Amino acid sequence: MITGTARDADAGITVEVAPGGSLQDLTFDQRSLRLSGERLAEAVLRLVETATARADQRVRHEFGLGEAELTALGIGGDTELAENTTPDTWRV
C-alpha cells in the first residue's frame, strides 16, 4: 500500500496517510501530551497535509499519472485536497 508519512520531532507527533489523505496511523509521545489542544490540532493537521502531498506524489511517480488522471481518481498534489479530506469537526 502506498502511504505518506510526516513527523514533527519537536512535538513528538507522527502521521501516516493513504493517498488522498485518509489517516492510517497517528502516534503521539510524551512531548505531544504537553502541548495545548490548539497547538496539537494545528500540528496534526499540518502533518496530515504534508503526508498527503507525499503520498499523492508517490502515486504520481509510481504509476506515471498526470494531473488530470490524479484528479479523476480524487487525488491531487496540492494542499487543497488535504484540507477537503480533513473533517471540519477536527478543526479548532
Side-chain angles (χ1 to χ4, degrees):
M1 174 183 211
I2 294 175
T3 61
T5 304
R7 182 174 186 348
D8 182 333
D10 293 333
I13 305 166
T14 304
V15 300
E16 181 180 17
V17 302
S22 174
L23 190 63
Q24 302 297 302
D25 191 37
L26 175 60
T27 306
F28 300 113
D29 72 16
Q30 292 299 321
R31 292 168 289 186
S32 59
L33 300 177
R34 294 185 197 113
L35 299 174
S36 69
E38 183 175 344
R39 170 74 173 96
L40 182 62
E42 289 171 356
V44 168
L45 290 174
R46 185 182 69 252
L47 291 171
V48 166
E49 187 175 82
T50 299
T52 299
R54 290 175 179 166
D56 292 352
Q57 191 67 359
R58 287 188 64 201
V59 168
R60 177 189 318 257
H61 175 72
E62 292 206 20
F63 294 102
L65 301 177
E67 195 65 40
E69 295 149 324
L70 288 175
T71 301
L73 291 172
I75 300 170
D78 59 22
T79 58
E80 184 177 345
L81 178 63
E83 288 293 319
N84 291 337
T85 61
T86 305
D88 289 336
T89 56
W90 290 11
R91 300 189 184 281
V92 177

